[in-house]
Amino acid sequence: MASRYLEWLHRDVQPEVPRELTGKEKFANWWDYHIWHVIAGGILLVILAYLVWHYLGIGQVEPDYQIAYMGTEFLPADTAEALENALAALGEDCNGDGEVTVRLNQYTTGGAGEDRQVYAYAVSMKLTADLEDCGSYFFLLEDPEVFQAGTGALQPLDGSGRENAAAEECCLRWGDCPGAAGLDLGTY
C-alpha cells in the first residue's frame, strides 16, 4: 500500500487547456506590458521631429538681406522695423521665395558695471560668428573707426581689397546715400 504522498505525487494531473484570447484581450495584454515603451518612444519621436524640423529650417523665413547694426544701444523696435521695411522696399527677391525680407542683427556695446565685460565679450563672439559666416551683408555702424580697428573687416569702396584700410575709405555716410537719406525711420 502506497502512502498518501506518493499517491498525490503520481496522481493523473491534466494541465488546463489555455483558452484562445480575443483580439481585444491580446491588445490589452500587450498594452499592459509595453505602455512605458510606447510613451518613451513617442517622446523620442517628438524630440527627433523637433530637431529635424529646426535643422532643415522648415517654416523659417530666410532673409534676402541681413544687416548688422553696431552701436552703443539697441535701436527702438519701431525704428528697427521701419528700417527693415524701408530697406526691403529698396531690395529685390534674392532667394526666390516671392518676397523681399530684411533681417536687422543688432550688436550693442552697452551694459554697465561688472557685467559690461561679460556682455562685451558675448557681443564680440556673436559678431565674430556673424563675420565668419558672412551672415550680414551690410553694416550700419555708429562708430566706423572703432569697428574697423577692432575687426579689420571693412574693405575700401573702390573695390581694391586692400587690407587695413582706413574707416573713411570703407564707409558711406547715411546722409550721402541717396536711397537711404530720405527713409522714414520712425522716432529714432
Side-chain angles (χ1 to χ4, degrees), residues 110-157:
E114 297 173 12
D115 293 339
R116 182 173 174 82
Q117 287 180 331
V118 173
Y119 186 77
Y121 182 72
V123 168
S124 172
M125 288 290 102
K126 191 174 172 185
L127 179 63
T128 302
D130 189 358
L131 291 171
E132 287 292 321
D133 291 342
C134 298
S136 294
Y137 309 120
F138 304 104
F139 292 90
L140 297 176
L141 304 171
E142 195 172 283
D143 191 353
E145 289 81 17
V146 171
F147 182 80
Q148 181 67 348
T151 64
L154 302 177
Q155 298 294 315
L157 294 173

Side-chain angles (χ1 to χ4, degrees), residues 151-171:
T151 64
L154 302 177
Q155 298 294 315
L157 294 173
D158 61 8
S160 63
R162 284 184 291 118
E163 295 288 326
N164 299 325
E168 56 270 356
E169 297 176 65
C170 303
C171 296

Side-chain angles (χ1 to χ4, degrees), residues 26-81:
K26 285 180 184 178
F27 177 75
N29 186 40
W30 182 88
W31 185 252
D32 284 341
Y33 284 101
H34 296 95
I35 186 170
W36 294 111
H37 296 99
V38 171
I39 290 172
I43 291 171
L44 288 175
L45 185 64
V46 167
I47 291 171
L48 181 66
Y50 174 80
L51 293 174
V52 168
W53 183 272
H54 285 286
Y55 178 74
L56 295 178
I58 298 171
Q60 296 177 2
V61 176
E62 287 297 319
D64 295 298
Y65 304 99
Q66 291 192 64
I67 298 173
Y69 166 74
M70 185 74 179
T72 55
E73 298 295 328
F74 282 104
L75 293 175
D78 64 333
T79 302
E81 184 178 346

